[in-house]
Amino acid sequence: MTVTASREQELLADVPTGLLIGDSWRASSSSATFAVIDPATGVELAQIADGTPEDGISALDAAVAAGDEWAATAPRVRGEILRRAFDLAVEHREDLALLMTMEMGKSLQEARGEVTYGAEFLRWFSEEAVRISGRYGANPEGTGTTIVSHRPVGPCLLITPWNFPLAMATRKIAPALAAGCTIVLKPAELTPLTSLYFVELLREAGVPDGVVNVVTTTDAKGFSSKVMADPRLRKVSFTGSTPVGQTLLKQAAENVLRTSMELGGNAPFLVFEDADVDAAVTGAMLAKFRNIGEACTAANRFFVHSAVAEEFGRKLTEKVRELRVGRGTEDGVAIGPLINAAAVDKSADLVGDALERGASVLTGGSAIDGPGTFFEPTVLTGITAGTRLLREEIFGPVAAIATFDTEDEAVALANDTEFGLVAYAFTTDLARGHRLMNRLKSGMLGLNTGVVSNASAPFGGVKSSGLGREGGSEGIHEYLDTMYTLIPAS
Ligand code: ADP
């Protein structure tokens, strides 16, 4: 059922528009606000506080003030608060989903899926909060006992992107709170409404004042530089582009901050001659067209064995032609708008470059006239070496197919990138699958599947794709320091 305009207005009226610092919402210290825009229509959804770097320091003051008490709060209590937050997120699924569709553009169906995925981090880390264990043992010389323990790293700055407005926030907030850290959250300026709404749910779940602080701002750089220069901050966790991640890593060096960096991807999608082609097409639809192609895990380069390339391209094109484009609130829409005009220009440029270098269009290929920032779901074939989209993250609904003839060639092509977040491979040969697991230089591998994300698994990349892992039993350790105590034998 298509959502009514009055339902949208009622929901927007429930979203806080200020900065959450300590116990209350407040205006920016400059009184400035900025607009949040619906990318499907270009219409303004809300005006929200445009925080200053000084507001960042006030938020850090609050996080520091709440730090000791939160760290000393029983793990079970922290876990139960997170579990209540999970229940509330699920209860408010429709509101969270609609906000994401309105501010980011993805379809309501996908937005509901993101609520399920994003909420799961709250449940998962509610369970991990009570399993922060250590180690106890005699040292090899028999002269003493070693006790290894963990404690929260301290106040954390969490910087999130716009493409998964809820899940990228919960993937950081949940482990930080489970570990006993307090936080300053800076949501992406393009999609802050989901975080603002969600943070109210955290408060309702019982998160004490000062433990979670939120600053929205259009001055991401000035804000982060100021907060990161303050020695009381102990950690920065960032999801976004590699260039910004590199800047933050340099800034983090100044105060030797702990860092988690979930950066760009350039995922290869390999289809071998022994693959179930229909399954590969189903996987490709998810790996490429989920979230309008705006995911760091999106398949960026399709390498298909020449024996099945024609069949794969034809079947993929049939499915892509069925994708309905429109505002994500409309029934049956699969592909919403890209986040802004720059994203449309980028997809158009990359397609143009591929065509100039000899590729051909199987379907789509062009921007769609406004209002809204839409790009046609596209399949290109005959991609040649040197084409820009083999190097650059597309972040749009464009599938680009190139061919290979041997496994060695496929592996070399897949690994020929500075990135290493995720790879996808379709083969029915178990031994080959096992070899690929060892040979692909990537933090994650989807073997005969087009989606790898799961709260129980360690998400993250190698090389320029980042540092650290989010989710799994690994995720909480990003927010814990290790300490050891030596007690001499008596
Ligand atoms: P994307 O390509 O996903 O927009 P960005 O890396 O530009 O990726 O943005 C991800 C997040 O990083 C957003 O919250 C954005 O405001 C923030 N950001 C952008 N530039 C900086 C910066 N120089 N310092 C700190 N945060 C930044």
Side-chain angles (χ1 to χ4, degrees):
M1 207 178 63
T2 300
V3 179
T4 62
S6 61
R7 158 97 172 94
E8 291 183 17
Q9 291 311 315
E10 275 166 32
L11 176 57
L12 287 173
D14 281 346
V15 179
T17 56
L19 313 175
L20 178 62
I21 296 178
D23 61 0
S24 57
W25 294 94
R26 60 168 90 158
S28 161
S29 56
S30 72
S31 305
T33 61
F34 67 97
V36 182
I37 304 292
D38 179 343
T41 60
V43 167
E44 178 179 314
L45 296 170
Q47 282 283 336
I48 63 165
D50 194 356
T52 63
E54 291 67 37
D55 291 323
I57 296 301
S58 302
L60 182 58
D61 290 343
V64 170
D68 287 348
E69 198 173 334
W70 182 243
T73 299
R76 176 66 77 201
V77 174
R78 299 200 300 261
E80 283 176 350
I81 290 172
L82 286 171
R83 175 64 207 214
R84 277 198 295 280
F86 165 79
D87 290 337
L88 285 168
V90 171
E91 201 180 297
H92 290 258
R93 177 195 308 275
E94 286 305 308
D95 288 351
L96 287 163
L98 181 54
L99 276 176
M100 281 194 272
T101 296
M102 288 164 72
E103 66 177 345
M104 182 273 170
K106 69 183 74 187
S107 72
L108 262 182
Q109 194 191 340
E110 286 193 342
R112 290 186 186 112
E114 183 175 340
V115 179
T116 302
Y117 171 57
E120 198 53 47
F121 287 98
L122 301 163
R123 177 157 64 176
W124 175 262
F125 285 107
S126 77
E127 294 157 351
E128 291 296 284
V130 292
R131 316 229 187 285
I132 302 169
S133 57
R135 198 146 54 80
Y136 177 96
N139 67 12
E141 298 76 22
T143 55
T145 301
T146 299
I147 303 169
V148 179
S149 57
H150 299 285
R151 51 191 186 192
V153 298
C156 302
L157 173 61
L158 311 181
I159 303 177
T160 55
W162 49 264
N163 57 344
F164 291 97
L166 180 69
M168 296 304 100
T170 55
R171 201 156 87 172
K172 297 183 190 305
I173 295 171
L177 298 192
C181 297
T182 57
I183 64 166
V184 176
L185 171 69
K186 194 212 80 61
E189 58 274 34
L190 295 169
T191 60
L193 304 179
T194 308
S195 292
L196 293 168
Y197 183 96
F198 170 66
V199 160
E200 269 298 283
L201 298 183
L202 282 178
R203 279 153 60 84
E204 197 179 328
V207 172
D209 294 341
V211 171
V212 172
N213 306 277
V214 186
V215 179
T216 47
T217 180
T218 54
D219 180 15
K221 192 170 171 209
F223 164 86
S224 306
S225 307
K226 180 101 180 168
V227 175
M228 287 173 70
D230 189 315
R232 296 173 301 168
L233 188 77
R234 289 288 82 225
K235 155 122 200 168
V236 60
S237 174
F238 170 75
T239 298
S241 59
T242 296
V244 173
Q246 287 165 326
T247 303
L248 294 176
L249 281 169
K250 285 179 197 148
Q251 291 175 351
E254 222 27 64
N255 280 324
V256 194
L257 297 182
R258 289 279 300 268
T259 57
S260 301
M261 295 282 145
E262 210 274 89
L263 308 177
N266 183 5
F269 189 107
L270 308 177
V271 184
F272 288 89
E273 66 275 29
D274 53 32
D276 173 338
V277 174
D278 292 326
V281 168
T282 303
M285 291 303 291
L286 289 169
K288 178 74 253 182
F289 294 97
R290 197 171 61 95
N291 219 48
I292 326 165
E294 294 174 316
C296 49
T297 51
N300 211 58
R301 302 169 292 151
F302 286 84
F303 296 119
V304 184
H305 192 277
S306 49
V308 293
E310 187 280 328
E311 181 188 0
F312 176 81
R314 178 169 38 82
K315 289 182 168 172
L316 182 65
T317 301
E318 278 166 22
K319 291 265 183 239
V320 171
R321 287 202 176 118
E322 287 168 13
L323 294 173
R324 204 176 136 208
V325 179
R327 188 169 189 246
T329 49
E330 289 162 20
D331 287 344
V333 161
I335 300 287
L338 292 180
I339 190 69
N340 55 24
V344 174
D345 291 346
K346 183 173 182 198
S347 282
D349 283 354
L350 290 175
V351 169
D353 171 75
L355 298 182
E356 270 171 32
R357 292 172 195 265
S360 43
V361 175
L362 291 180
T363 187
S366 304
I368 300 173
D369 288 342
T373 42
F374 292 90
F375 197 87
E376 291 176 331
T378 298
V379 182
L380 304 177
T381 191
I383 299 293
T384 55
T387 299
R388 270 176 59 200
L389 47 64
L390 295 177
R391 301 249 156 253
E392 297 178 36
E393 205 174 13
I394 304 170
F395 244 63
V398 178
I401 304 174
T403 56
F404 69 84
D405 289 307
T406 67
E407 184 180 313
D408 283 348
E409 192 188 346
V411 169
L413 286 165
N415 287 339
D416 182 20
T417 168
E418 68 182 284
F419 297 105
L421 185 61
V422 61
Y424 304 93
F426 281 73
T427 174
T428 51
D429 179 342
L430 182 62
R432 191 202 300 275
H434 202 223
R435 283 196 299 277
L436 293 172
M437 193 180 102
N438 292 319
R439 297 183 74 191
L440 293 172
K441 295 195 175 76
S442 157
M444 303 176 282
L445 171 63
L447 198 52
N448 295 316
T449 177
V451 184
V452 294
S453 304
N454 189 296
S456 67
F459 186 105
V462 297
K463 302 198 285 182
S464 292
S465 289
L467 298 168
R469 292 295 179 268
E470 295 191 308
S473 49
E474 292 81 359
I476 199 165
H477 284 280
E478 299 284 319
Y479 297 90
L480 292 168
D481 283 331
T482 299
M483 180 191 184
Y484 107 85
T485 304
L486 179 65
I487 304 174
S490 49

